[in-house]
Amino acid sequence: MAKQQKNQIDNLYNFSNNKYSKIQEKEEKKKIKERQKRIKQRKDEQKNQFDIDTETVIGMTNKNNQKKKEETQKRMTKKQANILRKKKKIKRIVKFITLILLIAGGITFALVSPIFNIKEIQVINNKQIATETIISLSQLQEGQNIFRFNRNKVEKEIKTNPYVEIAEIKRKFPNKIEISIKERQKNYNVEFLNGYAYINNQGYILEISEQKLDLPVIKGIETEQEQIVAGNRLNTHDLGKIEVVIQIMNICRNYELEKKVSSIDITDKNNYIIYMEEEKKTIYIGDGNNLNNKMLYVPAVIKENEGKEGNIYIDNIIDTVNKFQARFREKV
């Protein structure tokens, strides 16, 4: 009886132990499943934070790509970077040398090729100076290379002619030269020894001649005779007086009297004198002030005394209540 009870107790104990073990095993499996489930949830959350196609983190630059670049830069040694810089420098030098060679080759070709030899020299806008004279002054020749001359030097040589105010050289490729001229105009005769010097409005002496042109004669210049040379200019005192002469002639032009002016005496800057040979009248103007008002009454005085020889005085006009008076004195 005792043995039988002992066996029953052992069986009951074993049964209890087995049952407890199964319960523990179930609990362990349950914990393992819950742990796996949490791990899976984390993975799913991480997966949802990435765009797999572009591998870009939402709102951020792809850290993987950035890391790759950093790793690549780290792998590139300092020696490799120097080699790369040297290669770039060599390429730039080669390009520069190639460009220089191309330019040098082009210049050499232009200087030796017969294509660029001058076949025609054209002179335009010249009326007083002969075309042959200008070409001779330029020292340009047909058959000469179009590039083998200094343009500024040629223009300077042409301007040694007093009549030339401006000379402009143009290369018309491939083989033509155009010389454009602006000439000075003769405006006055200047009494000089037994002849005349032709000058323009700027006081340039253009030519010396024994012949008097159909232009007003300027008398009483101060410029030294040895300075009266073609290409020179009147001295400063005479240039100042020429400015007054120009004003006088412009006013005479307004009254259609410029063709009647035979000469202007500028000896005394305080007393300019006009002589009109056709009208047989001498006009005493005084200084260069108030010229418009002074000359205003000259046409009327000339008309009133037509055919009479005498002098017109407008050098000391009397202003009586803004009424100017000019005086005429007939020659007896």
Coordinates of all heavy atoms in Angstrom, one line a residue, residues 49-120:
Q49 N 10.3 55.2 -44.2 CA 11.0 56.5 -44.2 C 11.9 56.7 -45.4 O 12.4 57.8 -45.6 CB 11.9 56.6 -42.9 CG 11.1 56.7 -41.6 CD 12.0 56.8 -40.4 OE1 13.2 56.5 -40.5 NE2 11.4 57.1 -39.3
F50 N 12.1 55.7 -46.2 CA 13.0 55.8 -47.4 C 12.1 55.6 -48.7 O 11.2 54.8 -48.7 CB 14.1 54.7 -47.4 CG 15.1 55.0 -46.4 CD1 14.9 54.5 -45.1 CD2 16.2 55.7 -46.7 CE1 15.9 54.8 -44.1 CE2 17.2 55.9 -45.7 CZ 17.0 55.5 -44.4
D51 N 12.6 56.4 -49.7 CA 12.0 56.1 -51.1 C 13.0 55.2 -51.8 O 14.1 55.6 -52.1 CB 11.9 57.4 -51.8 CG 11.3 57.2 -53.2 OD1 11.2 56.1 -53.7 OD2 10.9 58.2 -53.8
I52 N 12.6 53.9 -51.9 CA 13.6 52.9 -52.4 C 14.1 53.2 -53.8 O 15.2 53.0 -54.2 CB 12.9 51.5 -52.4 CG1 12.6 51.2 -50.9 CG2 13.8 50.5 -53.0 CD1 11.8 49.9 -50.7
D53 N 13.2 53.9 -54.7 CA 13.6 54.1 -56.1 C 14.6 55.2 -56.2 O 15.6 55.1 -57.0 CB 12.3 54.6 -56.9 CG 11.3 53.4 -57.0 OD1 11.8 52.3 -57.0 OD2 10.1 53.8 -57.1
T54 N 14.5 56.2 -55.4 CA 15.5 57.3 -55.5 C 16.5 57.3 -54.4 O 17.5 58.0 -54.4 CB 14.8 58.7 -55.4 OG1 14.0 58.7 -54.2 CG2 13.8 58.8 -56.5
E55 N 16.3 56.4 -53.3 CA 17.2 56.3 -52.2 C 17.4 57.6 -51.5 O 18.5 57.9 -51.1 CB 18.5 55.6 -52.6 CG 18.4 54.2 -53.2 CD 19.7 53.6 -53.5 OE1 20.7 54.3 -53.3 OE2 19.7 52.5 -53.9
T56 N 16.3 58.4 -51.4 CA 16.4 59.7 -50.8 C 15.6 59.8 -49.5 O 14.4 59.4 -49.6 CB 15.9 60.8 -51.8 OG1 16.7 60.7 -53.0 CG2 16.1 62.2 -51.2
V57 N 16.2 60.2 -48.5 CA 15.5 60.4 -47.2 C 14.5 61.6 -47.4 O 14.9 62.6 -48.0 CB 16.4 60.7 -46.1 CG1 15.7 60.9 -44.8 CG2 17.4 59.5 -45.9
I58 N 13.3 61.4 -46.9 CA 12.3 62.5 -47.0 C 12.8 63.8 -46.4 O 13.1 63.8 -45.2 CB 11.0 62.1 -46.4 CG1 10.4 60.9 -47.2 CG2 10.0 63.2 -46.4 CD1 9.2 60.2 -46.5
G59 N 12.9 64.9 -47.2 CA 13.3 66.2 -46.6 C 14.8 66.3 -46.4 O 15.3 67.3 -45.9
M60 N 15.6 65.3 -46.9 CA 17.1 65.4 -46.7 C 17.8 64.9 -47.9 O 17.2 64.1 -48.7 CB 17.4 64.5 -45.4 CG 16.8 65.0 -44.1 SD 17.1 63.8 -42.8 CE 18.8 63.7 -42.8
T61 N 19.0 65.3 -48.0 CA 19.9 64.7 -49.1 C 20.3 63.3 -48.8 O 20.5 63.0 -47.6 CB 21.2 65.6 -49.3 OG1 20.8 66.9 -49.4 CG2 22.0 65.1 -50.4
N62 N 20.3 62.5 -49.8 CA 20.7 61.1 -49.6 C 22.0 60.9 -48.9 O 23.0 61.3 -49.4 CB 20.7 60.4 -50.9 CG 20.8 58.9 -50.8 OD1 21.3 58.4 -49.8 ND2 20.4 58.2 -51.8
K63 N 22.0 60.4 -47.7 CA 23.2 60.3 -46.9 C 24.1 59.3 -47.5 O 25.4 59.4 -47.4 CB 22.9 59.9 -45.5 CG 22.2 61.0 -44.7 CD 21.9 60.7 -43.3 CE 21.3 61.8 -42.5 NZ 21.0 61.4 -41.1
N64 N 23.5 58.3 -48.1 CA 24.4 57.2 -48.7 C 25.2 57.8 -49.9 O 26.4 57.5 -50.0 CB 23.5 56.1 -49.3 CG 22.8 55.3 -48.2 OD1 23.3 55.3 -47.1 ND2 21.7 54.7 -48.5
N65 N 24.6 58.6 -50.7 CA 25.3 59.2 -51.8 C 26.4 60.2 -51.3 O 27.5 60.2 -51.8 CB 24.4 60.0 -52.8 CG 23.5 59.1 -53.6 OD1 23.8 57.9 -53.7 ND2 22.4 59.6 -54.1
Q66 N 26.1 60.9 -50.2 CA 27.0 61.8 -49.7 C 28.2 61.0 -49.1 O 29.4 61.5 -49.3 CB 26.4 62.6 -48.5 CG 26.9 64.0 -48.4 CD 26.0 64.8 -47.5 OE1 25.1 64.3 -46.8 NE2 26.2 66.1 -47.5
K67 N 28.0 60.0 -48.5 CA 29.0 59.1 -47.9 C 29.9 58.6 -49.0 O 31.2 58.5 -48.9 CB 28.5 58.0 -47.1 CG 27.9 58.4 -45.8 CD 27.4 57.3 -45.0 CE 26.8 57.7 -43.6 NZ 26.2 56.6 -42.9
K68 N 29.3 58.2 -50.2 CA 30.0 57.7 -51.3 C 31.0 58.7 -51.8 O 32.1 58.4 -52.2 CB 29.1 57.2 -52.4 CG 28.4 55.9 -52.0 CD 27.5 55.5 -53.2 CE 26.8 54.2 -52.9 NZ 25.8 53.8 -53.9
K69 N 30.5 60.0 -51.9 CA 31.4 61.1 -52.5 C 32.5 61.3 -51.5 O 33.7 61.5 -52.0 CB 30.5 62.3 -52.6 CG 29.6 62.3 -53.8 CD 28.8 63.6 -53.9 CE 27.8 63.6 -55.0 NZ 27.0 64.8 -55.1
E70 N 32.2 61.3 -50.2 CA 33.3 61.5 -49.3 C 34.3 60.4 -49.3 O 35.5 60.7 -49.2 CB 32.7 61.6 -47.9 CG 31.9 62.9 -47.6 CD 31.2 62.9 -46.3 OE1 31.4 61.9 -45.5 OE2 30.5 63.9 -46.0
E71 N 33.8 59.2 -49.5 CA 34.7 58.1 -49.6 C 35.6 58.2 -50.8 O 36.8 57.9 -50.8 CB 34.0 56.8 -49.6 CG 33.4 56.5 -48.2 CD 32.4 55.2 -48.3 OE1 32.3 54.7 -49.4 OE2 31.9 54.9 -47.2
T72 N 35.0 58.6 -52.0 CA 35.7 58.8 -53.2 C 36.8 59.9 -53.1 O 37.9 59.7 -53.6 CB 34.8 59.2 -54.4 OG1 33.7 58.2 -54.5 CG2 35.5 59.3 -55.7
Q73 N 36.4 61.0 -52.5 CA 37.4 62.0 -52.3 C 38.5 61.6 -51.4 O 39.7 62.0 -51.6 CB 36.7 63.3 -51.6 CG 35.7 64.0 -52.6 CD 35.0 65.1 -52.0 OE1 35.1 65.3 -50.8 NE2 34.2 65.8 -52.8
K74 N 38.2 60.8 -50.4 CA 39.3 60.3 -49.5 C 40.2 59.4 -50.2 O 41.4 59.4 -50.0 CB 38.6 59.6 -48.3 CG 38.0 60.5 -47.3 CD 37.3 59.7 -46.2 CE 36.7 60.7 -45.2 NZ 36.0 60.0 -44.1
R75 N 39.6 58.6 -51.1 CA 40.4 57.6 -51.9 C 41.4 58.3 -52.8 O 42.4 57.8 -53.2 CB 39.5 56.6 -52.7 CG 38.9 55.6 -51.8 CD 38.4 54.4 -52.6 NE 37.4 54.9 -53.5 CZ 36.1 54.8 -53.3 NH1 35.6 54.4 -52.1 NH2 35.2 55.2 -54.2
M76 N 40.9 59.5 -53.4 CA 41.8 60.3 -54.3 C 43.0 60.9 -53.5 O 42.8 61.7 -52.6 CB 41.0 61.4 -55.0 CG 41.9 62.2 -56.0 SD 40.9 63.5 -56.8 CE 39.9 62.5 -57.9
T77 N 44.1 60.4 -53.7 CA 45.3 60.9 -53.0 C 45.7 62.2 -53.5 O 45.3 62.7 -54.5 CB 46.4 59.9 -53.2 OG1 46.8 59.8 -54.6 CG2 46.1 58.5 -52.7
K78 N 46.6 62.9 -52.7 CA 47.1 64.2 -53.1 C 47.9 64.1 -54.4 O 47.9 65.0 -55.2 CB 48.0 64.7 -52.0 CG 48.5 66.1 -52.1 CD 49.3 66.5 -50.9 CE 49.7 68.0 -51.1 NZ 50.5 68.4 -49.9
K79 N 48.6 63.0 -54.6 CA 49.3 62.8 -55.8 C 48.4 62.8 -57.0 O 48.7 63.4 -58.1 CB 50.1 61.5 -55.7 CG 51.1 61.3 -56.9 CD 51.9 60.0 -56.6 CE 52.8 59.8 -57.8 NZ 53.6 58.5 -57.7
Q80 N 47.3 62.1 -56.9 CA 46.4 62.0 -58.0 C 45.8 63.4 -58.3 O 45.6 63.8 -59.5 CB 45.2 61.0 -57.7 CG 45.7 59.6 -57.7 CD 44.6 58.7 -57.2 OE1 43.8 59.0 -56.3 NE2 44.5 57.5 -57.8
A81 N 45.5 64.2 -57.3 CA 45.0 65.5 -57.5 C 46.0 66.4 -58.2 O 45.7 67.2 -59.1 CB 44.6 66.2 -56.2
N82 N 47.3 66.3 -57.9 CA 48.3 67.1 -58.5 C 48.5 66.7 -60.0 O 48.7 67.5 -60.9 CB 49.7 66.9 -57.8 CG 49.7 67.5 -56.5 OD1 49.0 68.5 -56.3 ND2 50.5 67.0 -55.6
I83 N 48.4 65.4 -60.3 CA 48.5 64.9 -61.6 C 47.3 65.4 -62.5 O 47.5 65.9 -63.6 CB 48.4 63.3 -61.7 CG1 49.7 62.8 -61.1 CG2 48.2 62.8 -63.1 CD1 49.7 61.3 -60.9
L84 N 46.1 65.5 -61.9 CA 45.0 66.0 -62.6 C 45.1 67.5 -62.9 O 44.8 68.0 -64.0 CB 43.7 65.8 -61.7 CG 42.4 66.2 -62.4 CD1 42.1 65.4 -63.7 CD2 41.2 66.0 -61.4
R85 N 45.7 68.3 -61.9 CA 45.9 69.7 -62.2 C 47.0 69.9 -63.3 O 46.8 70.8 -64.1 CB 46.4 70.4 -60.9 CG 45.2 70.7 -59.9 CD 45.7 71.7 -58.8 NE 46.7 71.1 -58.0 CZ 46.5 70.4 -56.9 NH1 45.2 70.2 -56.5 NH2 47.5 70.0 -56.1
K86 N 48.0 69.1 -63.3 CA 49.1 69.2 -64.3 C 48.5 68.9 -65.7 O 48.8 69.6 -66.7 CB 50.2 68.3 -64.0 CG 51.1 68.7 -62.8 CD 52.2 67.8 -62.5 CE 53.1 68.2 -61.4 NZ 54.1 67.3 -61.0
K87 N 47.6 67.9 -65.8 CA 47.0 67.6 -67.1 C 46.2 68.8 -67.6 O 46.3 69.1 -68.8 CB 46.2 66.4 -66.9 CG 46.9 65.1 -66.8 CD 46.0 63.9 -66.7 CE 46.8 62.6 -66.7 NZ 45.9 61.4 -66.6
K88 N 45.4 69.4 -66.7 CA 44.6 70.5 -67.1 C 45.5 71.7 -67.6 O 45.2 72.4 -68.6 CB 43.7 71.0 -66.0 CG 42.6 70.0 -65.7 CD 41.7 70.6 -64.6 CE 40.5 69.6 -64.3 NZ 39.7 70.1 -63.2
K89 N 46.6 71.9 -66.8 CA 47.5 73.0 -67.2 C 48.2 72.8 -68.5 O 48.3 73.7 -69.4 CB 48.6 73.1 -66.1 CG 49.5 74.3 -66.3 CD 50.5 74.4 -65.1 CE 51.4 75.7 -65.2 NZ 52.3 75.8 -64.1
I90 N 48.6 71.5 -68.8 CA 49.2 71.2 -70.1 C 48.2 71.4 -71.2 O 48.6 71.9 -72.3 CB 49.7 69.7 -70.0 CG1 50.9 69.6 -69.1 CG2 50.1 69.2 -71.4 CD1 51.3 68.2 -68.8
K91 N 46.9 71.0 -71.0 CA 45.9 71.2 -72.0 C 45.8 72.7 -72.4 O 45.7 73.1 -73.5 CB 44.6 70.7 -71.6 CG 44.5 69.1 -71.6 CD 43.1 68.7 -71.2 CE 43.0 67.1 -71.2 NZ 41.7 66.7 -70.8
R92 N 45.8 73.6 -71.3 CA 45.6 75.0 -71.6 C 46.8 75.5 -72.3 O 46.7 76.3 -73.2 CB 45.5 75.7 -70.2 CG 44.1 75.6 -69.6 CD 43.9 76.7 -68.5 NE 44.9 76.5 -67.4 CZ 44.7 75.8 -66.3 NH1 43.6 75.2 -66.1 NH2 45.6 75.8 -65.4
I93 N 48.0 75.1 -72.0 CA 49.2 75.5 -72.7 C 49.2 75.1 -74.1 O 49.5 75.9 -75.0 CB 50.5 75.0 -72.0 CG1 50.6 75.6 -70.6 CG2 51.7 75.2 -72.8 CD1 51.7 75.0 -69.7
V94 N 48.8 73.9 -74.4 CA 48.7 73.4 -75.7 C 47.7 74.2 -76.6 O 48.0 74.5 -77.7 CB 48.3 71.9 -75.7 CG1 48.0 71.4 -77.1 CG2 49.4 71.0 -75.2
K95 N 46.6 74.5 -76.0 CA 45.6 75.3 -76.7 C 46.1 76.7 -77.0 O 45.9 77.2 -78.1 CB 44.3 75.5 -75.8 CG 43.5 74.2 -75.8 CD 42.2 74.4 -74.9 CE 41.4 73.2 -74.8 NZ 40.1 73.4 -74.0
F96 N 46.8 77.3 -76.0 CA 47.4 78.6 -76.2 C 48.4 78.6 -77.4 O 48.4 79.5 -78.2 CB 48.0 79.1 -74.9 CG 48.6 80.5 -75.0 CD1 47.9 81.6 -75.1 CD2 50.0 80.6 -75.1 CE1 48.4 82.9 -75.2 CE2 50.6 81.9 -75.2 CZ 49.8 83.0 -75.2
I97 N 49.3 77.6 -77.3 CA 50.4 77.5 -78.3 C 49.7 77.3 -79.7 O 50.2 77.9 -80.7 CB 51.3 76.4 -78.0 CG1 52.2 76.8 -76.7 CG2 52.3 76.1 -79.1 CD1 53.0 75.7 -76.2
T98 N 48.7 76.5 -79.8 CA 48.0 76.2 -81.0 C 47.4 77.5 -81.6 O 47.5 77.8 -82.8 CB 46.9 75.2 -80.8 OG1 47.5 74.0 -80.3 CG2 46.2 74.9 -82.1
L99 N 46.8 78.3 -80.7 CA 46.2 79.6 -81.1 C 47.3 80.5 -81.7 O 47.1 81.2 -82.7 CB 45.5 80.2 -80.0 CG 44.8 81.6 -80.2 CD1 43.7 81.4 -81.3 CD2 44.2 82.1 -78.9
I100 N 48.4 80.6 -80.9 CA 49.5 81.5 -81.4 C 50.0 81.1 -82.8 O 50.3 81.9 -83.6 CB 50.7 81.5 -80.3 CG1 50.2 82.1 -79.0 CG2 51.9 82.2 -80.9 CD1 49.9 83.6 -79.1
L101 N 50.2 79.8 -82.9 CA 50.7 79.2 -84.2 C 49.7 79.6 -85.3 O 50.1 79.9 -86.5 CB 50.9 77.7 -84.1 CG 52.1 77.3 -83.2 CD1 52.1 75.8 -83.1 CD2 53.4 77.8 -83.8
L102 N 48.4 79.4 -85.1 CA 47.4 79.8 -86.1 C 47.5 81.2 -86.5 O 47.4 81.6 -87.6 CB 46.0 79.4 -85.6 CG 45.7 77.9 -85.5 CD1 44.3 77.7 -84.8 CD2 45.7 77.3 -86.9
I103 N 47.6 82.1 -85.4 CA 47.7 83.5 -85.7 C 48.9 83.9 -86.5 O 48.9 84.6 -87.5 CB 47.6 84.3 -84.4 CG1 46.2 84.2 -83.7 CG2 47.9 85.8 -84.6 CD1 46.2 84.8 -82.3
A104 N 50.0 83.3 -86.1 CA 51.3 83.5 -86.7 C 51.3 83.1 -88.2 O 51.7 83.7 -89.1 CB 52.5 82.9 -86.0
G105 N 50.6 81.9 -88.4 CA 50.5 81.4 -89.7 C 49.6 82.3 -90.6 O 49.9 82.5 -91.8
G106 N 48.5 82.8 -90.0 CA 47.7 83.7 -90.7 C 48.4 85.0 -91.1 O 48.2 85.5 -92.2
I107 N 49.2 85.6 -90.2 CA 49.9 86.8 -90.5 C 50.9 86.6 -91.6 O 51.1 87.4 -92.5 CB 50.6 87.3 -89.2 CG1 49.5 87.8 -88.2 CG2 51.5 88.5 -89.5 CD1 50.0 88.2 -86.8
T108 N 51.6 85.5 -91.4 CA 52.7 85.1 -92.5 C 52.0 85.0 -93.8 O 52.5 85.5 -94.8 CB 53.4 83.8 -92.1 OG1 54.0 84.0 -90.8 CG2 54.5 83.5 -93.1
F109 N 50.9 84.3 -93.9 CA 50.2 84.1 -95.2 C 49.8 85.5 -95.7 O 49.9 85.7 -96.9 CB 49.0 83.2 -95.0 CG 48.1 83.1 -96.2 CD1 48.5 82.3 -97.2 CD2 46.9 83.8 -96.2 CE1 47.7 82.2 -98.4 CE2 46.1 83.7 -97.4 CZ 46.5 82.9 -98.4
A110 N 49.2 86.4 -94.8 CA 48.8 87.7 -95.3 C 49.9 88.5 -95.8 O 49.7 89.3 -96.8 CB 48.0 88.4 -94.2
L111 N 51.1 88.4 -95.2 CA 52.2 89.2 -95.6 C 52.9 88.8 -96.9 O 53.6 89.6 -97.6 CB 53.3 89.3 -94.5 CG 52.8 90.1 -93.2 CD1 53.8 90.0 -92.1 CD2 52.5 91.5 -93.6
V112 N 52.8 87.5 -97.2 CA 53.5 87.0 -98.4 C 52.6 86.6 -99.6 O 53.1 86.4 -100.7 CB 54.4 85.7 -98.0 CG1 55.4 86.1 -96.9 CG2 53.5 84.6 -97.5
S113 N 51.3 86.5 -99.3 CA 50.4 86.0 -100.4 C 50.2 87.1 -101.4 O 49.9 88.3 -101.0 CB 49.1 85.6 -99.8 OG 48.2 85.3 -100.8
P114 N 50.3 86.9 -102.7 CA 50.0 87.9 -103.7 C 48.6 88.3 -103.7 O 48.3 89.3 -104.4 CB 50.4 87.1 -105.0 CG 50.3 85.7 -104.7 CD 50.7 85.6 -103.2
I115 N 47.7 87.6 -103.1 CA 46.3 87.9 -103.0 C 46.1 89.3 -102.4 O 45.2 90.1 -102.8 CB 45.5 86.9 -102.2 CG1 45.5 85.6 -102.9 CG2 44.0 87.4 -102.0 CD1 44.9 84.4 -102.1
F116 N 47.0 89.7 -101.5 CA 46.9 91.0 -100.8 C 47.8 92.0 -101.3 O 48.1 93.0 -100.6 CB 47.2 90.8 -99.3 CG 46.2 89.8 -98.6 CD1 46.5 88.5 -98.3 CD2 44.9 90.3 -98.3 CE1 45.6 87.7 -97.7 CE2 44.0 89.4 -97.7 CZ 44.3 88.1 -97.4
N117 N 48.3 91.9 -102.5 CA 49.1 92.9 -103.2 C 48.2 94.0 -103.7 O 47.2 93.7 -104.4 CB 50.0 92.4 -104.3 CG 51.1 91.5 -103.7 OD1 51.4 91.6 -102.5 ND2 51.8 90.8 -104.5
I118 N 48.5 95.3 -103.5 CA 47.7 96.4 -104.0 C 47.5 96.4 -105.5 O 48.5 96.4 -106.2 CB 48.3 97.7 -103.5 CG1 48.3 97.8 -101.9 CG2 47.4 98.9 -104.0 CD1 49.0 99.0 -101.3
K119 N 46.3 96.5 -105.9 CA 46.0 96.6 -107.4 C 45.4 97.9 -107.8 O 45.4 98.3 -108.9 CB 45.1 95.4 -107.8 CG 45.7 94.1 -107.8 CD 44.8 93.0 -108.4 CE 45.5 91.7 -108.5 NZ 44.6 90.6 -109.1
E120 N 44.8 98.6 -106.8 CA 44.2 99.9 -107.1 C 44.3 100.8 -105.9 O 44.1 100.4 -104.7 CB 42.7 99.7 -107.4 CG 42.0 100.9 -107.7 CD 40.5 100.7 -108.0 OE1 40.0 99.6 -107.9 OE2 39.8 101.7 -108.2

